[in-house]
Amino acid sequence: MPRKASRTASRPSVVPVQRWFQFLESQSAQDIALPVTVLFALLVRWCIGLHGYSGQGTPPLYGDYEAQRHWMEITTHLPVSQWYSYDLQYWGLDYPPLTAFQSWLCGAVATYIDPSWIALNASRGLESHTSKQFMRATAIALEFIIYVPAIVLFFRSQHTKMSWVARQVSIFSVLLQPCLILIDHGHFQYNSVMLGFLVWTVYFAAQESYILMAVSFCCSFMFKQMGLYYAPAVFAFLLAQCFRRKHGTVLFVKLGVAVVATVGVMLGPWITSVDQLQQILVRVFPVARGLYEDKVANVWCAVNVAVKLRSLFDAQSLVRLSTCATALAFIPSCIHLFFTIRRQTRTMQSTAIRVFKYCLVNTSLAFFLFSFQVHEKSIL
């Protein structure tokens, strides 16, 4: 009996979702696995959205839901020149231009359905059932257009050595990641769009489509500035590819043109006005807010318990301190990535991508722990 119990205990545990995919495989019903996963992910998001959100019914600002709705309001009714300067005390736009364009697009759809949802000034604090349904639907639609396809393609292309069941469990687990679901569909955000562009970046890196990789990464940080947390890893990866290849200079020029063109297109409406570009920069990187605003589980909040840094140093000194600390934290990973790719052969492609993914984790965590003005959702 003891031996039998020991053999039973040594067996790997099988979670319910794994049993479900094993059942589908045993019934030769693999074709329905992905549609069922996607529909279940959709159902969970919609159910989360049926509940309230932080700030609901709480004037004068009403929470992040109202911020997103208000940005649809101002981008629809105001000229582009006023998007980053209009009534900044009431949810002034403080994300990069791709977020503004997304708000404009959603606002155009809202205007077609019911203009009262985003009526200029008159709609502030609007919390009607239909408007909330529309807002929830926009978050789901954008996630399923950008994030979900990237996750599916990533696992299908990068994890070919995994069993079919393991691959389906991985897709299911990522699409049901609770933190992202609760923040985007409960609290109300569009973080999945930024993360979706990042996953596309990794996918294109694995496919050796480096121009598309650069474009997708530009879309990531031009949607939310937190995408820049991954910039050192992406830069090290692409720079190493330029050094590794015979015609690396040509690749370097192509990448430069792709980055400048992508960012230039997104900044196009403001490109002729230095003042407006400076205003965007001030809004996107709010140095004046201080080292941090709320309690975030990073180094500066922990240090503040014993040493009141904001009382001892001015804002510029803290910017320099946090920049140096962040750089010291991510540079070793980037150097390791660079030289791994420099030594890369055709058979080492999977190794280089694995190191790249680790470097993305390390650099983003370095920014979360040490950078200036960290937001709690940045841990995503």
Side-chain angles (χ1 to χ4, degrees):
M1 285 298 293
R3 288 183 180 179
K4 186 175 181 180
S6 177
R7 287 198 301 269
T8 302
S10 65
R11 293 175 184 173
S13 60
V14 180
V15 296
V17 67
Q18 190 172 357
R19 292 195 185 97
W20 161 247
F21 289 115
Q22 288 174 343
F23 169 75
L24 292 181
E25 187 178 40
S26 68
Q27 300 299 312
S28 300
Q30 292 96 326
D31 291 343
I32 71 169
L34 183 60
V36 170
T37 295
V38 171
L39 288 174
F40 184 69
L42 174 63
L43 176 64
V44 170
R45 284 158 173 77
W46 191 256
C47 290
I48 294 293
L50 293 176
H51 294 269
Y53 50 87
S54 58
Q56 182 173 353
T58 308
L61 295 179
Y62 300 97
D64 275 13
Y65 166 90
E66 171 63 10
Q68 301 290 340
R69 190 212 59 78
H70 179 63
W71 294 343
M72 295 180 193
E73 172 189 339
I74 61 175
T75 54
T76 301
H77 293 286
L78 298 177
V80 176
S81 59
Q82 296 184 38
W83 285 5
Y84 284 93
S85 58
Y86 181 77
D87 196 3
L88 298 181
Q89 298 304 312
Y90 188 83
W91 292 120
L93 184 57
D94 56 2
Y95 282 123
L98 192 54
T99 287
F101 296 143
Q102 170 254 311
S103 297
W104 172 82
L105 179 62
C106 293
V109 176
T111 300
Y112 178 78
I113 300 173
D114 188 344
S116 67
W117 292 344
I118 56 168
L120 186 62
N121 296 328
S123 61
R124 290 190 177 186
L126 178 70
E127 295 180 335
S128 67
H129 179 67
T130 53
S131 67
K132 285 189 285 187
Q133 281 187 322
F134 170 75
M135 294 288 289
R136 296 296 194 188
T138 62
I140 291 175
L142 289 169
E143 181 172 1
F144 277 71
I145 290 171
I146 297 171
Y147 180 75
V148 173
I151 293 297
V152 173
L153 278 177
F154 173 77
F155 277 103
R156 284 189 167 182
S157 63
Q158 288 302 296
H159 297 271
T160 53
K161 294 182 179 180
M162 295 172 62
S163 67
W164 180 85
V165 170
R167 192 158 59 248
Q168 296 304 316
V169 170
S170 298
I171 294 173
F172 182 93
S173 301
V174 173
L175 294 185
L176 271 295
Q177 210 273 354
C179 298
L180 183 60
I181 293 175
L182 289 173
I183 291 178
D184 274 17
H185 304 282
H187 175 67
F188 202 85
Q189 292 274 339
Y190 294 96
N191 295 293
S192 59
V193 177
M194 180 202 74
L195 294 173
F197 282 125
L198 176 68
V199 177
W200 281 113
T201 299
V202 179
Y203 172 77
F204 288 132
Q207 300 301 311
E208 300 185 34
S209 301
Y210 301 124
I211 307 303
L212 290 176
M213 176 187 175
V215 171
S216 63
F217 182 66
C218 288
C219 291
S220 179
F221 71 75
M222 289 299 284
F223 188 84
K224 286 201 173 186
Q225 56 268 48
M226 281 79 75
L228 289 171
Y229 287 9
Y230 305 98
V234 174
F235 177 78
F237 181 92
L238 291 175
L239 185 64
Q241 294 295 345
C242 294
F243 275 92
R244 186 177 72 88
R245 292 171 176 270
K246 184 178 181 180
H247 302 289
T249 304
V250 176
L251 176 61
F252 184 83
V253 172
K254 288 181 177 179
L255 290 170
V257 171
V259 171
V260 171
T262 304
V263 174
V265 167
M266 295 183 193
L267 290 174
W270 304 273
I271 205 73
T272 58
S273 173
V274 175
D275 290 339
Q276 290 186 24
L277 289 175
Q278 288 178 339
Q279 178 65 11
I280 293 174
L281 195 64
V282 169
R283 293 299 301 164
V284 172
F285 299 103
V287 175
R289 294 182 185 177
L291 186 59
Y292 61 88
E293 284 186 283
D294 302 313
K295 295 300 180 182
V296 181
N298 72 347
V299 169
W300 307 125
C301 284
V303 169
N304 187 70
V305 175
V307 182
K308 305 303 180 184
L309 294 173
R310 292 185 293 186
S311 300
L312 296 173
F313 303 99
D314 59 25
Q316 292 304 319
S317 298
L318 291 175
V319 169
R320 288 192 288 268
L321 173 63
S322 61
T323 301
C324 291
T326 304
L328 288 173
F330 70 67
I331 283 175
S333 290
C334 293
I335 293 175
H336 178 229
L337 173 64
F338 180 85
F339 285 105
T340 297
I341 294 174
R342 281 294 307 274
R343 298 190 299 267
Q344 174 187 333
T345 63
R346 177 59 57 179
T347 58
M348 293 174 60
Q349 171 71 1
S350 60
T351 301
I353 296 299
R354 185 175 69 252
V355 174
F356 176 46
K357 288 185 285 188
Y358 284 132
C359 190
L360 287 170
V361 174
N362 289 337
T363 57
S364 60
L365 188 58
F367 274 89
F368 178 79
L369 291 175
F370 297 105
S371 65
F372 194 90
Q373 188 57 219
V374 174
H375 194 284
E376 63 271 13
K377 68 173 177 287
S378 300
I379 193 61
L380 290 172

